[in-house]
Amino acid sequence: MIRVDDDGPVWTITLDRADKANALTPDMLRELADLAEAAGDARAVILTGVGRVFSAGADLDAAKAGLATSPDWERLSGALAALPGLTIAALNGTVAGGAMGMVLACDLRLAPPHAKFFYPVMKLGYLPQPSDPARLAALIGPARAKLMLLAGQKITAEVAYAYGLVDEIMEGDQIIARAMELTQDSVAADQRIAHKIKGLCTGI
């Protein structure tokens, strides 16, 4: 249910559970976190999925059984944020719930026009992952972060682009090619320079 192409300087990690809206099981979440922790030598990492939904977050049954509060969500987003190479969320569609964490932790986000973004943890009786509100507020501002987290608003790709949550919007069949194109300069550069520039941009 997780596919990884790590044969080269760019790792592509794909969520492949389209029949369940790429909702994550405990094993899938653990595998994603392990992959993110193992990707330190990759020059770039691309996250994507199959189908019209990037991920609905936690599998509903697993969430009720404790997955919604698993520390592996924060382990995943923390590992992605710590990667020295360029990270791109090449979204194939909607992002919901806990899946927002890994998307927020990436350096860039590409999305198709039909994508929507929402994070209804409060309505479901959970707190967001610890680092997510700050990352969300850094991208779209505190008030808009509250609009999503406290007012429970679902936003479209166009609104997400206007807010700064999404960097580019394009048709889904173009997104992976565009993501690969965006990695080219970082992949070809002296990695010490590329990593230093990323650190300067993120305050590390």
Side-chain angles (χ1 to χ4, degrees):
M1 289 182 279
I2 303 292
R3 292 189 282 110
V4 57
D5 178 2
D6 58 357
D7 184 19
V10 180
W11 285 28
T12 302
I13 301 171
T14 305
L15 308 184
D16 191 358
R17 197 189 181 207
D19 60 319
K20 297 293 186 180
N22 290 325
L24 302 184
T25 65
D27 287 345
M28 290 173 70
L29 177 59
R30 193 175 306 113
E31 183 178 356
L32 282 170
D34 289 345
L35 285 168
E37 290 177 343
D41 291 334
R43 295 196 172 197
V45 173
I46 296 171
L47 283 180
T48 192
V50 297
R52 287 182 59 83
V53 176
F54 172 71
S55 178
D59 177 88
L60 186 58
D61 291 337
K64 294 176 181 177
L67 183 61
T69 56
S70 169
D72 283 332
W73 294 104
E74 187 69 12
R75 184 165 72 93
L76 169 58
S77 60
L80 285 170
L83 287 175
L86 181 66
T87 55
I88 301 176
L91 303 171
N92 52 296
T94 292
V95 184
M100 284 287 292
M102 63 179 122
V103 172
L104 293 170
C106 287
D107 298 315
L108 301 173
R109 283 152 292 279
L110 314 178
H114 72 267
K116 293 182 173 59
F117 299 80
F118 56 109
Y119 200 164
V121 283
M122 183 179 67
K123 183 177 181 180
L124 298 173
Y126 304 113
L127 288 171
Q129 299 156 43
S131 62
D132 287 358
R135 288 196 181 110
L136 183 60
L139 287 170
I140 69 175
R144 288 168 175 169
K146 292 169 188 173
L147 187 75
M148 294 184 70
L149 291 170
L150 284 172
Q153 295 302 288
K154 179 187 294 186
I155 64 173
T156 64
E158 286 188 1
V159 171
Y161 177 75
Y163 284 1
L165 178 58
V166 166
D167 299 294
E168 295 184 4
I169 298 175
M170 65 199 66
E171 294 302 324
D173 59 357
Q174 302 172 14
I175 285 177
I176 292 298
R178 177 58 173 157
M180 291 298 295
E181 179 185 7
L182 289 170
T183 68
Q184 289 179 4
D185 281 3
S186 286
V187 166
D190 181 321
Q191 291 304 285
R192 294 170 300 174
I193 299 297
H195 296 168
K196 180 64 174 177
I197 290 172
K198 176 169 175 173
L200 291 169
C201 290
T202 55
I204 296 174

